[in-house]
Amino acid sequence: MKKFEAHVNVMPLKALLDPQGKAVMHGLHNLQFKNVQNVRIGKHIYIELEAKSKKEAQEQVEAMCKKMLINPVVEYFEFEVNEI
Amino acid sequence: MKKFEAHVNVMPLKALLDPQGKAVMHGLHNLQFKNVQNVRIGKHIYIELEAKSKKEAQEQVEAMCKKMLINPVVEYFEFEVNEI
């Protein structure tokens, strides 16, 4: 078995408002970062796992996202898997 | 002014326990993903901003992180800036 690391980003769907992102954007404007035009905030999930191949690891991570890590009604995900 | 996007990951310091990550790891084990060895959960922040150059954009994002986005007692950050 080889060891892999996955970096998963879980973000609010682009069609939805992101109140946390909006709040942070206003906070940054108040700190004089007037050049900020948009902020969106999601989760970053780092997973270490064992698998036989990179392909198997990718399939496993995708299954984890769909079964548990994301809520497809309000979020989407993207990920990257590397051998370590 | 050019337009840039920054992807910032804010993660719990490696020396600290990450109770949310541990809870998700146990959840994944219960879903039969026994091959998962470690999970850590942080934030992913996407920022769109205007700046004169990539270097200026990077300096701005670093300043935003230090002034507002992260708590250095319990978190560290890494980011990437690209022109869009």
Side-chain angles (χ1 to χ4, degrees), chain B residues 6-36:
Chain B
H7 291 272
V8 184
N9 289 329
V10 181
M11 299 298 289
L13 287 175
K14 293 206 167 96
L16 298 180
L17 274 179
D18 171 17
Q20 193 186 2
K22 286 279 170 297
V24 166
M25 186 174 76
H26 292 137
L28 289 170
H29 288 171
N30 289 339
L31 284 175
Q32 310 308 320
F33 293 109
K34 303 281 187 203
N35 54 336
V36 172

Side-chain angles (χ1 to χ4, degrees), chain A:
Chain A
M1 296 290 254
K2 294 174 190 168
K3 215 168 159 181
F4 296 87
E5 60 172 22
H7 291 272
V8 183
N9 289 329
V10 181
M11 299 300 287
L13 287 176
K14 294 205 167 99
L16 297 180
L17 275 178
D18 172 16
Q20 193 185 2
K22 287 281 171 297
V24 166
M25 187 173 76
H26 292 138
L28 290 170
H29 288 172
N30 289 339
L31 283 174
Q32 308 308 319
F33 293 109
K34 303 280 187 203
N35 54 337
V36 172
Q37 299 182 322
N38 191 19
V39 177
R40 292 187 80 79
I41 299 185
K43 279 178 284 189
H44 183 75
I45 306 176
Y46 168 84
I47 301 170
E48 274 175 33
L49 72 163
E50 280 187 347
K52 281 180 200 135
S53 66
K54 185 166 174 173
K55 191 163 176 285
E56 192 193 278
Q58 285 170 327
E59 287 166 0
Q60 290 259 315
V61 172
E62 187 156 350
M64 288 176 210
C65 288
K66 290 184 175 164
K67 283 194 187 163
M68 179 170 164
L69 300 175
I70 78 141
N71 174 354
V73 177
V74 292
E75 294 168 331
Y76 71 94
F77 66 98
E78 51 198 20
F79 67 88
E80 198 181 281
V81 173
N82 299 308
E83 193 170 343
I84 49 178

